[in-house]
């Protein structure tokens, strides 16, 4: 059957042609792009059935010349976001059938559909829809982005990851034993007792996975690498507390679990290739990371042993090692170093001449011992060096730890409710002047008891040692902390310029909150990172 588009239009005057164009525009607005439109004659007010050319959709923008010809003197149809019913009329076998079609709002249509609707029929009746390139198209694109339902278009990256994890969570069912196996495979040693069901559930939170995605990006760019023994040094407690106050859990995660890579990218990529082909240990890298390089720790390549089946999370207890004993008589008899040999030091000011004077710490201990405060109140005094303390992720090494029993007959020794033993942390620092006024102030009377500024990071470091030691469940003892500072001068006018004092404030509550925060929020983000890189070998559904 010959199409209407092939019929030749009869000649008409310019005025009549203009009127017909206006009527055709009204019909197009009312009927969309339909077979027959119902229009009204402006002069008579009567309805007329006017045949409208059946159109053929053309993908693309059309030719420039066509656009110019078609748009001259015409306005595009006014497309709004309101839901409305439009009458459409189709001709079938010579009969007219009315159909009602409900158009959905702009927010419910796709960007492609909007582009199709922004167009006019070519005046010559050739049946092509010309997609506009002008202001109306830009307006529609903007409306598409901001219209109702636009927020639901395109799921964010972390939401995709979260939905993927939740989709296969029932199949994977990662439990404590699964994470223990994965951590063993990756040779990562978490503190005992920090892994529990609560933190595993927290690791599936949307916000947690979002933060993990940022860390994943740094791993893909080889900016970070995993730490085999993730811990938060007591020296970093003050900085971590500031980050916690700002709710910056991702940065604390980077501090504890990762470090800036010093290896070459080639070395890291070779490790990734080995890990990508590693199998038979219960976990494997996801399909994405079989082709996409990423920084990962070295995985076990040998077969599992029976010890893997006996992995346990352990208990969350505070611990302290014994350290190396120091003979008190040796401390008494030792001589102070000649400071004139250190005056040409190029060491940073805040560390004094520690690197040039290997006996710096012992000389600080000798000074404190000679003050008589500790020897006058105690007997059976012992010193140890290098004691390591650990509680959760918090860890550190003590300069010295003194254990002293009160003298018989003293007020404290006669009180049965009070421990008869004191444990005293002795933290030594050296400076060439930079820490004066920042860490401590010197007494004005020429004495040796300094006033410490206990908001300084070194005071928080020593307070963290004290917090851990107080939670060690061994022989009951009173825990105290003293700081000793040595000021190295550039001339010989002041040698052996030592100062000391006990710390008065107790930051234990803040430090305890930080410990809990690391074991819940920070560890959860690390577990989410592991889940985004690795999956169980028995899980066939790839995320």
């Amino acid at each position: 059957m010959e199409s209407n588009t092939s019929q030749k239009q009869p000649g008409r005057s310019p005025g009549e042609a203009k009127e017909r164009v206006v009527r055709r525009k009204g019909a197009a607005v009312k009927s969309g792009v339909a077979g027959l439109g119902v229009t009204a004659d402006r002069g008579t007010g009567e309805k007329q059935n006017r045949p409208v050319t059946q159109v053929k959709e053309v993908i693309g923008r059309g030719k420039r010349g066509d656009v110019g010809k078609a748009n001259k003197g015409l306005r595009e149809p006014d497309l709004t976001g309101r839901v409305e019913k439009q009458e459409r009329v189709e001709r079938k076998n010579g009969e007219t059938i009315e159909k009602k079609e409900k158009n959905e709002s702009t927010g419910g249509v796709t960007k492609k559909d909007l582009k199709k609707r922004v167009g006019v029929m070519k005046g010559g009746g050739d049946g092509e829809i010309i997609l506009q390139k002008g202001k109306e198209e830009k307006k529609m694109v903007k409306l598409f982005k901001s219209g109702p339902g636009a927020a639901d278009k395109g799921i964010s990256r972390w939401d995709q990851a979260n939905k993927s994890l939740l989709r296969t969570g029932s199949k994977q069912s990662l439990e404590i034993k699964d994470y223990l196996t994965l951590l063993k495979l990756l040779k990562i040693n978490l503190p005992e007792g920090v892994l529990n069901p609560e933190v595993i559930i927290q690791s599936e939170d949307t916000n947690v996975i979002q933060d993990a995605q940022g860390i994943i990006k740094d791993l893909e760019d080889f900016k970070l690498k995993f730490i085999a023994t993730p811990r938060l040094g007591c020296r970093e407690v003050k900085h971590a507390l500031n980050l916690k106050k700002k709710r910056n859990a991702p940065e604390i995660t980077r501090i504890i679990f990762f470090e800036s890579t010093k290896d070459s990218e080639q070395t890291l990529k070779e490790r990734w290739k080995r890990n990508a082909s590693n199998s038979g240990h219960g976990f494997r890298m996801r399909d994405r990371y079989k082709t996409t390089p990423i920084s990962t720790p070295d995985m076990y390549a040998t077969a599992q042993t029976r010890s893997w089946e006996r992995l346990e999370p352990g208990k969350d207890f505070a611990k302290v090692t014994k350290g190396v004993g120091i003979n008190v008589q040796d401390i008494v008899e030792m001589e102070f170093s000649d400071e004139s040999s250190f005056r040409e030091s190029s060491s940073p000011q805040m560390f004094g001449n520690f690197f040039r004077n290997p006996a710096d710490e012992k000389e600080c201990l000798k000074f404190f011992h000679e003050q008589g405060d500790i020897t006058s109140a105690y007997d059976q005094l012992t010193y140890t060096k290098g004691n390591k303390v650990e509680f959760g992720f918090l860890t550190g090494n003590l300069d010295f730890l003194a254990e002293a029993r009160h003298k018989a007959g003293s007020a404290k020794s006669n009180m049965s409710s009070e421990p008869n033993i004191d444990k005293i942390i002795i933290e030594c620092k050296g400076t060439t002047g930079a820490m004066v006024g920042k860490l401590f102030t010197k007494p004005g009377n020429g004495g040796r008891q300094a006033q410490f500024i206990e908001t300084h990071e070194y005071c928080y470091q020593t307070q963290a040692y004290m917090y851990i030691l107080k939670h060690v469940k061994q022989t009951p003892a009173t825990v105290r902390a003293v700081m000793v500072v040595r000021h190295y001068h550039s001339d010989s006018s002041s040698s052996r310029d030592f100062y000391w004092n006990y710390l008065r404030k107790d930051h234990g509550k803040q430090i305890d909150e930080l410990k809990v925060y690391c074991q819940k929020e920070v560890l959860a983000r690390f577990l989410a990172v592991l889940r985004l890189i690795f999956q169980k070998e028995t899980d066939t559904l790839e995320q």
Side-chain angles (χ1 to χ4, degrees), residues 217-419:
K217 181 66 170 60
D218 289 341
L219 291 170
E220 290 178 351
D221 294 339
F222 294 102
K223 294 180 180 178
L224 298 175
K225 70 175 183 178
F226 287 78
I227 294 177
T229 306
R231 299 292 187 274
L232 180 67
C234 290
R235 176 79 172 272
E236 298 173 300
V237 163
K238 175 69 182 294
H239 180 47
L241 282 170
N242 290 334
L243 293 173
K244 174 182 174 292
K245 187 176 181 180
K246 298 175 183 177
R247 301 190 178 187
N248 194 346
E251 186 60 29
I252 304 178
T253 307
R254 286 177 169 87
I255 293 173
I256 295 178
F257 293 96
F258 304 94
E259 63 182 344
S260 298
T261 178
K262 297 178 182 178
D263 300 327
S264 67
E265 186 172 329
Q266 182 63 31
T267 300
L268 295 173
K269 283 187 175 181
E270 289 176 359
R271 180 186 302 166
W272 159 74
K273 288 180 180 179
R274 293 195 301 270
N275 291 342
S277 60
N278 196 333
S279 61
H281 296 88
F283 281 85
R284 67 174 178 86
M285 297 180 71
R286 297 190 178 278
D287 288 348
R288 166 180 171 79
Y289 296 113
K290 289 183 178 179
T291 56
T292 302
I294 187 170
S295 177
T296 57
D298 255 330
M299 298 169 65
Y300 267 108
T302 57
Q304 295 184 15
T305 63
R306 291 183 179 179
S307 63
W308 290 48
E309 300 176 359
R310 298 191 295 269
L311 295 172
E312 295 290 342
K315 302 293 184 181
D316 186 18
F317 292 145
K319 307 174 187 67
V320 57
T321 61
K322 291 183 178 181
V324 179
I326 296 176
N327 191 311
V328 176
Q329 192 62 31
D330 292 342
I331 295 295
V332 173
E333 294 177 356
M334 72 176 291
E335 296 290 336
F336 287 99
S337 302
D338 181 9
E339 293 186 20
S340 62
S341 61
F342 309 133
R343 292 187 184 122
E344 302 300 325
S345 170
S346 59
S347 303
Q349 280 190 335
M350 68 168 54
F351 295 111
N353 291 312
F354 173 77
F355 295 106
R356 297 290 296 273
N357 183 10
D360 181 79
E361 290 180 348
K362 281 192 176 181
E363 290 178 10
C364 287
L365 177 61
K366 176 179 174 65
F367 160 78
F368 176 67
H369 183 82
E370 289 179 348
Q371 298 309 298
D373 179 83
I374 196 168
T375 56
S376 62
Y378 305 98
D379 57 9
Q380 298 184 12
L381 178 66
T382 61
Y383 295 112
T384 54
K385 177 178 174 60
N387 307 75
K388 183 177 180 180
V389 292
E390 183 173 302
F391 192 18
F393 284 102
L394 298 175
T395 188
N397 293 301
L398 309 183
D399 288 340
F400 300 101
L401 178 62
E403 290 194 15
R405 187 179 299 275
H406 287 271
K407 289 183 177 180
S410 65
K412 194 165 186 178
S413 66
N414 293 332
M415 297 174 64
S416 58
S417 60
E418 292 289 329

Side-chain angles (χ1 to χ4, degrees), residues 145-161:
K145 291 182 178 178
S146 60
D152 296 331
K153 307 290 183 181
I155 303 172
S156 60
R157 186 180 183 187
W158 49 85
D159 284 343
Q160 286 179 336

Side-chain angles (χ1 to χ4, degrees), residues 19 23 38-50:
E19 180 181 358
R23 289 177 181 174
V38 179
T39 63
D41 184 77
R42 291 186 179 181
T44 63
E46 297 177 0
K47 291 185 178 180
Q48 298 180 2
N49 286 338
R50 183 183 302 279

